[in-house]
Amino acid sequence: MQTYLTKTPFLRFLMPFVAGIVVCIVFKLNIEIHWTLLTAFAALSTACYLLLRKRKIQVLFGLMLNVFFFACGIETCYLYRVTNHPDHYSHFIKNHEQKYIAYICNIPQEKAKSVKCNVHILEQEKDGKFKNASGELIVYLEKGNRALPSYGDKLIFTGLPKLISEPNNPFEFNYKQYLAYKNIFHQVYLKDEDYIIDGKYKSNALFDFAIGLKTNLLNTLKENGLSGNEYAVTAALMLGYDDEISSDLMTAYSHTGTLHVLSVSGLHVGVLFLALNFLIRLPKRRAFDILKTVIILCCLWFYALLSGLSPSVIRSTAMFSFVLFGVIFNKKGQIYNSIFASAFIMLLFDPFLVIDSGFQLSYLAVIGIVFLFPYIYKWYIPRRKWDDLIWKMFAVSLSAQIITLPITLYYFHQFPVLFFIANMLVIPLSYVVMFGSVFIVLFSKVKVIAMIITWIVSKSVWIMNTFTEWLDQLEFSYISDINTGFIDMIILFFLLITITNAFLRKSPLSLMASLCIITFILISGLVFKLEGNPSQLVVFHFNKESTIGIIGNKSATYLNDSIRTDNSRSLQTIASFNTISGIQKLKSIVMKPGVYQFTYVDKKWSWLNGCDLSSY
């Protein structure tokens, strides 16, 4: 273990750095605790320096290094949280409407009755005067007769920002927390008369160019005839723009284990890297190797710019960039160090990425492929090229699926059984769509060629969607309702490590540890099954409807005030509650308007549904 840490110094830096970030996030350190920790660190540093001057103590130096990166993690996270900045707009919000000057910092999303956009505050009215301010909030603009706003528009508006609402139901997706990790805490709804657009604001030339390019590319796809799901999936594959994909289609891709193709991430950057590595042929000399690396890096970052510099593609491109540098300067043995170095740099710029599921899955999948693929590939020796290609695809998919399994179960509570079959068709077609969409843009002025390519791309997307939805309808396509908590995820990771070590190194100790963990899982599962869940009364609140759940002994009876046939959000919330609570028996009753009485835990309860008390 010590030898491995010596070869991967960035892992030694990353572990205490991540620990500091997690501590800062969990305990939400305020300024008093922050300065206390920094003072304690300064005192400890001084004491260690005085000791090390007289006598070199390796253990003390290692401890000091870990404390230093731990403190760096806390400081990075503290400084990244915008509410800790003295000029953040939230410190000066009054209980009445104020005037703000801001600019739209993303591509506005058109909804049924409004336009949703993120704005960055530039100035805020304080004591009757405009003063500099900072921070980002969500603005919903009423749809009126005026033209739709666009990225970079400068807004002058009057409103009262309100805090993002807490989730109303147990185990519901915490949208407030999700936005808080993106440093967004408030939202405001503006009518036509509440705001004016005062020209364009130039914030960052690079991002302005990237967003403008992304907007033009999306318009080009539409102008060449792509629409509906075909346009939505093509935009997601090419540019990482998935705002227009329907929730049902997104769910189908999730159930079949192919959701990763709908976001520009490691898969897309990896494909581009392999294509460039194959096409660029230079003599086998160090100078030409460096030149080839520079060319590939320029192409990768141009693609990142082409996709609008979305967080996922920046993460993937940065990872590949570090790996390329590691291969050039440190040979292939340092690939792990390059991966950890990229993670360290990414967290240095955005420490909240440490709790981002996409960040975790990306790095785990890459580590799994690098480590497990060579072993899995040796299980079978292909004799033909096409056989070898299929086997490599299977080995890569299996490597990534194995190492990400615990965290996938924790976040999504499901396992895609047919992930390999789905990926066998979806991934090759996604390549066709990716490269085809690029050719649509290149030949958009040559209408005949653009129409042919558009037809090919459209049919490819249609086949992808149809095949994915067909697989999703099969009863055995995925295993759902897998109740996996945080502790369960940690236990599964330990089991994965011990089993892998037992098979690869023939370690009897690891085999015994694996058997002990499996025994513990079986016993705890049996105890949980026999124990049953405690009785509870749960009230679910949804838009214009409510549900009361009477829970007890692994069963649930739901009293609904309407039939939910098209409200996927409410259905998903209740399904998530059933999964995590271990509900096995379900009963649903639709209540007609009236007053209902029922008994729960020896108490009588009344429910007034769809009417008022004046009629009783």
Side-chain angles (χ1 to χ4, degrees):
M1 182 67 180
Q2 185 64 32
T3 305
Y4 179 76
L5 289 176
T6 304
K7 291 181 178 179
T8 54
F10 268 101
L11 178 59
R12 300 171 67 185
F13 306 154
L14 189 63
M15 289 191 293
F17 185 70
V18 169
I21 293 173
V22 171
V23 167
C24 189
I25 290 175
V26 171
F27 294 100
K28 298 180 180 178
L29 302 183
N30 56 34
I31 191 166
E32 290 81 9
I33 299 176
H34 170 252
W35 284 113
T36 302
L37 287 173
L38 287 183
T39 305
F41 171 71
L44 181 62
S45 301
T46 305
C48 288
Y49 173 74
L50 294 175
L51 289 171
L52 289 171
R53 279 187 66 184
K54 296 180 178 180
R55 186 179 179 183
K56 291 185 178 181
I57 306 173
Q58 189 174 1
V59 175
L60 188 61
F61 177 77
L63 176 64
M64 190 59 213
L65 193 65
N66 281 282
V67 173
F68 170 74
F69 280 105
F70 179 79
C72 285
I74 291 177
E75 184 69 10
T76 301
C77 187
Y78 180 84
L79 294 175
Y80 186 79
R81 197 188 298 272
V82 293
T83 51
N84 293 327
H85 300 175
D87 64 343
H88 192 258
Y89 71 86
S90 62
H91 302 314
F92 307 99
I93 292 179
K94 308 295 183 181
N95 56 1
H96 57 79
E97 292 185 341
Q98 294 171 269
K99 290 184 178 180
Y100 296 84
I101 299 177
Y103 72 92
I104 298 176
C105 55
N106 72 331
I107 298 177
Q109 183 180 355
E110 187 176 359
K111 295 183 173 295
K113 297 181 180 179
S114 63
V115 178
K116 177 186 175 183
C117 53
N118 292 9
V119 301
H120 187 87
I121 302 297
L122 298 171
E123 296 181 38
Q124 180 181 15
E125 184 185 22
K126 303 171 188 176
D127 301 324
K129 297 180 180 179
F130 277 108
K131 296 184 180 180
N132 291 337
S134 64
E136 192 173 325
L137 58 82
I138 296 176
V139 172
Y140 292 91
L141 303 175
E142 180 185 35
K143 274 189 176 179
N145 296 324
R146 67 174 74 186
L148 293 176
S150 60
Y151 170 82
D153 283 349
K154 188 176 179 181
L155 297 182
I156 302 176
F157 66 90
T158 303
L160 176 59
K162 296 182 180 179
L163 285 169
I164 307 294
S165 302
E166 296 274 0
N168 294 322
N169 305 298
F171 308 123
E172 188 175 33
F173 175 68
N174 195 333
Y175 187 58
K176 179 178 182 177
Q177 187 180 70
Y178 168 79
L179 289 178
Y181 291 143
K182 296 181 178 296
N183 277 325
I184 300 174
F185 305 93
H186 293 81
Q187 62 184 4
V188 63
Y189 181 83
L190 301 177
K191 295 183 179 180
D192 269 349
E193 61 269 18
D194 294 332
Y195 73 95
I196 61 172
I197 297 178
D198 185 28
K200 290 284 184 180
Y201 179 80
K202 301 294 183 181
S203 56
N204 181 295
L206 183 62
F207 279 90
D208 289 347
F209 174 76
I211 296 295
L213 181 62
K214 186 173 184 176
T215 303
N216 290 333
L217 292 175
L218 290 172
N219 291 333
T220 301
L221 294 178
K222 288 182 178 179
E223 290 168 1
N224 282 276
L226 286 174
S227 60
N229 283 333
E230 283 74 21
Y231 163 76
V233 172
T234 303
L237 282 166
M238 181 185 181
L239 302 168
Y241 181 75
D242 57 3
D243 291 350
E244 299 193 28
I245 300 178
S246 65
S247 58
D248 292 337
L249 186 59
M250 193 77 81
T251 301
Y253 276 90
S254 175
H255 287 168
T256 55
T258 54
L259 187 61
H260 56 92
V261 305
L262 295 184
S263 60
V264 177
S265 57
L267 172 68
H268 305 76
V269 179
V271 170
L272 180 59
F273 165 71
L274 291 174
L276 292 170
N277 192 50
F278 175 77
L279 293 173
I280 301 174
R281 302 284 182 168
L282 295 175
K284 294 292 183 180
R285 294 179 184 176
R286 182 165 181 78
F288 287 108
D289 288 341
I290 295 175
L291 177 61
K292 181 177 179 179
T293 301
V294 171
I295 294 173
I296 292 176
L297 284 175
C298 291
C299 292
L300 290 180
W301 282 104
F302 178 76
Y303 177 67
L305 189 65
L306 192 70
S307 65
L309 293 174
S310 62
S312 60
V313 73
I314 291 177
R315 179 173 64 238
S316 304
T317 308
M319 188 191 308
F320 274 95
S321 300
F322 275 90
V323 170
L324 276 172
F325 278 120
V327 170
I328 287 295
F329 296 108
N330 296 317
K331 305 303 180 184
K332 294 184 179 179
Q334 297 299 319
I335 188 171
Y336 293 106
N337 197 45
S338 302
I339 293 171
F340 295 133
S342 69
F344 183 86
I345 298 299
M346 293 295 293
L347 292 175
L348 198 60
F349 282 97
D350 184 358
F352 287 152
L353 281 175
V354 76
I355 51 177
D356 181 79
S357 60
F359 178 85
Q360 297 166 6
L361 289 169
S362 294
Y363 276 91
L364 278 175
V366 171
I367 292 171
I369 292 169
V370 172
F371 180 72
L372 293 177
F373 173 76
Y375 296 101
I376 296 176
Y377 182 70
K378 291 178 182 178
W379 291 353
Y380 171 68
I381 307 299
R383 296 182 179 180
R384 302 176 183 85
K385 286 187 177 181
W386 64 267
D387 193 15
D388 182 61
L389 179 62
I390 294 175
W391 177 242
K392 280 181 179 178
M393 286 183 59
F394 175 78
V396 168
S397 298
L398 187 61
S399 302
Q401 201 75 41
I402 287 174
I403 201 166
T404 58
L405 179 61
I407 201 169
T408 301
L409 296 179
Y410 171 68
Y411 282 117
F412 306 110
H413 304 290
Q414 63 185 25
F415 177 74
V417 178
L418 303 178
F419 72 92
F420 176 66
I421 296 175
N423 281 281
M424 281 288 292
L425 180 66
V426 171
I427 289 180
L429 284 176
S430 69
Y431 299 162
V432 175
V433 176
M434 284 172 57
F435 291 111
S437 58
V438 172
F439 283 115
I440 290 175
V441 173
L442 293 176
F443 294 99
S444 59
K445 301 300 181 182
V446 186
K447 292 302 180 183
V448 176
I449 298 177
M451 285 177 58
I452 296 173
I453 300 173
T454 301
W455 183 85
I456 294 172
V457 169
S458 177
K459 291 303 177 184
S460 299
V461 174
W462 181 84
I463 294 171
M464 283 173 54
N465 294 344
T466 304
F467 180 69
T468 303
E469 290 173 333
W470 175 74
L471 282 181
D472 182 38
Q473 293 174 359
L474 300 177
E475 293 183 2
F476 52 86
S477 63
Y478 66 97
I479 301 173
S480 60
D481 302 337
I482 302 175
N483 184 14
T484 306
F486 182 78
I487 301 299
D488 301 321
M489 180 187 69
I490 301 299
I491 293 173
L492 286 175
F493 268 120
F494 276 113
L495 178 61
L496 184 62
I497 292 169
T498 54
I499 290 177
T500 303
N501 196 55
F503 274 96
L504 297 184
R505 300 194 177 183
K506 312 297 181 185
S507 171
L509 185 61
S510 295
L511 182 60
M512 288 297 297
S514 303
L515 293 175
C516 290
I517 295 174
I518 292 172
T519 303
F520 172 77
I521 293 173
L522 293 175
I523 293 174
S524 60
L526 181 62
V527 170
F528 178 77
K529 187 173 183 178
L530 294 176
E531 187 180 52
N533 52 333
S535 298
Q536 54 181 322
L537 186 71
V538 183
V539 180
F540 296 89
H541 299 283
F542 304 107
N543 185 27
K544 298 181 180 180
E545 61 180 66
S546 298
T547 295
I548 294 179
I550 304 174
I551 316 298
N553 195 25
K554 299 292 181 184
S555 63
T557 300
Y558 291 109
L559 308 177
N560 310 312
D561 61 1
S562 64
I563 301 176
R564 288 185 311 277
T565 56
D566 56 352
N567 191 340
S568 58
R569 176 176 168 269
S570 60
L571 293 174
Q572 289 175 1
T573 300
I574 294 177
S576 177
F577 174 82
N578 293 336
T579 299
I580 298 174
S581 302
I583 303 298
Q584 298 176 353
K585 296 180 181 179
L586 296 174
K587 185 179 180 181
S588 183
I589 302 174
V590 178
M591 315 299 288
K592 296 180 179 180
V595 177
Y596 293 88
Q597 293 183 341
F598 56 92
T599 303
Y600 170 73
V601 194
D602 299 328
K603 291 183 180 180
K604 290 186 177 181
W605 300 74
S606 297
W607 181 12
L608 177 64
N609 180 41
C611 55
D612 55 66
L613 290 173
S614 60
S615 57
Y616 290 89

